[in-house]
Amino acid sequence: MKTAKIAVVLLAVLIFATTFAINASAWDYKVVKGDSFWKISQKYSVNFKELIRANPQFENHDLIYPDDVIHMPDTENGEYADAEVRGLFDSINDFRSKEGLKELSLDKKVSAAAQAKAEDLAAKNYFSHISPTYGTPSQMLNDFGISYRYMGENIAKGASAQETVYAWMNSKGHRDNILNQNFTKIGVGYCQSEKIWVTIFI
């Protein structure tokens, strides 16, 4: 396995006004006769796996009835063209599932922040949670208009998605972020030229 640089930060912050920001692109769909999760995913161009993940209230996803309410995720939140990025996201959720934890959802705004941090790390040639451009991870999230109660950040450089996640899982601080039950969302940033990874958890 290649040696990858890794770093971690974990913060707990009390938010007085709002606990989290609601993604306005997500919406609810009322089931009509003849619907199935597959048909709904095809009709609205939503990733089928993401649609299933967004609706854990159904014990059997093959059994839905008229007037049932289906949560429609933001279609941009899980549709990464880059297989490496998608692989890292799925690998993190696989480890969470093995520990009996809920899977994280991929958040568009958090991913935008993570991507900006990854590109900043590459452009300014540093490896730290403190950015000369954005400041601390918490300052960065605030500047991006992202509200949160808890947050964490993992960064890595020089390894594939799978190697990066395995390295994080063998480092207590990084593992604690990945398996933190307080986190419900993740953003993934990746600078391919430098193989720099940034994951932000909220």
Side-chain angles (χ1 to χ4, degrees):
M1 179 184 293
K2 298 177 182 177
T3 301
K5 291 183 179 179
I6 56 176
V8 60
V9 65
L10 174 62
L11 302 174
V13 179
L14 177 62
I15 303 300
F16 293 98
T18 56
T19 302
F20 59 90
I22 297 174
N23 189 328
S25 297
W27 55 286
D28 290 333
Y29 171 82
K30 186 173 286 188
V31 174
V32 298
K33 186 177 180 180
D35 272 341
S36 68
F37 271 91
W38 175 253
K39 288 181 180 179
I40 294 168
S41 72
Q42 296 303 296
K43 182 177 181 180
Y44 293 100
S45 299
V46 176
N47 180 278
F48 178 69
K49 189 174 181 180
E50 292 294 327
L51 185 60
I52 294 296
R53 284 177 175 168
N55 290 276
Q57 71 273 26
F58 292 91
E59 293 184 6
N60 186 340
H61 290 87
D62 292 326
L63 297 177
I64 59 174
Y65 302 96
D67 295 328
D68 282 349
V69 175
I70 305 293
H71 178 66
M72 304 294 289
D74 179 353
T75 56
E76 295 181 77
N77 277 356
E79 297 297 332
Y80 282 101
D82 191 287
E84 281 274 283
V85 172
R86 188 70 202 185
L88 183 132
F89 169 69
D90 286 339
S91 183
I92 285 174
N93 270 334
D94 286 344
F95 277 111
R96 287 179 65 88
S97 294
K98 290 175 183 177
E99 297 295 325
L101 299 171
K102 289 184 178 180
E103 294 185 350
L104 301 170
S105 63
L106 207 52
D107 186 273
K108 181 182 177 182
K109 289 180 70 175
V110 181
S111 290
Q115 185 62 36
K117 178 66 173 286
E119 292 173 3
D120 191 58
L121 284 164
K124 298 192 174 176
N125 194 29
Y126 69 97
F127 190 75
S128 170
H129 291 292
I130 310 301
S131 164
T133 305
Y134 302 107
T136 66
S138 58
Q139 289 172 329
M140 185 176 186
L141 290 183
N142 292 337
D143 289 343
F144 272 72
I146 298 168
S147 299
Y148 56 92
R149 179 169 292 182
Y150 303 94
M151 69 82 60
E153 180 186 77
N154 286 359
I155 61 177
K157 182 177 181 179
S160 68
Q162 185 179 37
E163 290 168 339
T164 295
V165 175
Y166 273 94
W168 283 341
M169 288 299 293
N170 283 292
S171 167
K172 185 181 184 305
H174 300 87
R175 179 186 175 91
D176 288 347
N177 272 350
I178 290 172
L179 301 182
N180 191 317
Q181 63 182 356
N182 292 314
F183 296 145
T184 59
K185 298 178 181 179
I186 187 175
V188 181
Y190 179 51
C191 181
Q192 189 171 14
S193 61
E194 302 293 331
K195 284 193 173 181
I196 293 174
W197 294 96
V198 176
T199 53
I200 298 176
F201 306 84
I202 63 172

